[in-house]
């Protein structure tokens, strides 16, 4: 094998190895990015459920407060009569 052939072969092997490594690294980064996306989605879902729970709690407290206010107004009105 001539010297030129060896150089071309060596360069081809190195470029192939670099290409395979670069693709592997890129795939790994993409996999990690997708995983972070799933974690963000789960966190958003958890936050949404918490917000819904808090909203329902606020609605119940508001209803209770209105009932108590109405009851007090009724008592005041009956006392004035």
């Amino acid at each position: 094998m001539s010297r030129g052939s060896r150089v071309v072969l060596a360069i081809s092997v190195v470029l192939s190895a670099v290409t395979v490594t670069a693709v592997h690294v890129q795939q790994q980064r993409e996999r990690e990015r997708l995983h972070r996306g799933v974690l963000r989605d789960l966190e958003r879902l958890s936050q949404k459920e918490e917000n819904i729970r808090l909203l329902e709690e606020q609605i119940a407290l508001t209803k209770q407060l209105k009932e108590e206010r109405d009851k007090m107004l009724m008592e005041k009105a009956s006392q004035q009569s």
Side-chain angles (χ1 to χ4, degrees):
M1 208 149 86
S2 70
R3 185 174 190 181
S5 298
R6 287 185 208 153
V7 170
V8 170
L9 178 62
I11 290 172
S12 296
V13 169
V14 168
L15 287 176
S16 295
V18 168
T19 301
V20 168
T21 302
V23 168
H24 177 70
V25 168
Q26 183 181 6
Q27 286 177 341
Q28 186 65 28
R29 286 181 182 165
E30 181 71 13
R31 200 174 295 123
E32 289 172 3
R33 186 183 68 80
L34 290 172
H35 183 68
R36 285 192 307 268
V38 169
L39 294 178
R40 275 194 314 270
D41 288 346
L42 291 173
E43 180 61 32
R44 282 186 201 133
L45 182 60
S46 173
Q47 186 64 44
K48 183 177 179 179
E49 290 172 353
E50 177 68 12
N51 289 344
I52 289 171
R53 186 190 65 77
L54 290 172
L55 179 61
E56 289 172 349
E57 187 177 308
Q58 276 293 342
I59 290 170
L61 289 172
T62 301
K63 184 178 177 182
Q64 181 183 0
L65 181 63
K66 285 180 180 181
E67 288 172 357
E68 289 176 6
R69 182 190 67 197
D70 291 345
K71 184 178 177 183
M72 288 179 68
L73 288 174
M74 294 288 270
E75 288 175 359
K76 227 180 207 185
S78 67
Q79 288 176 356
Q80 290 179 352
S81 298

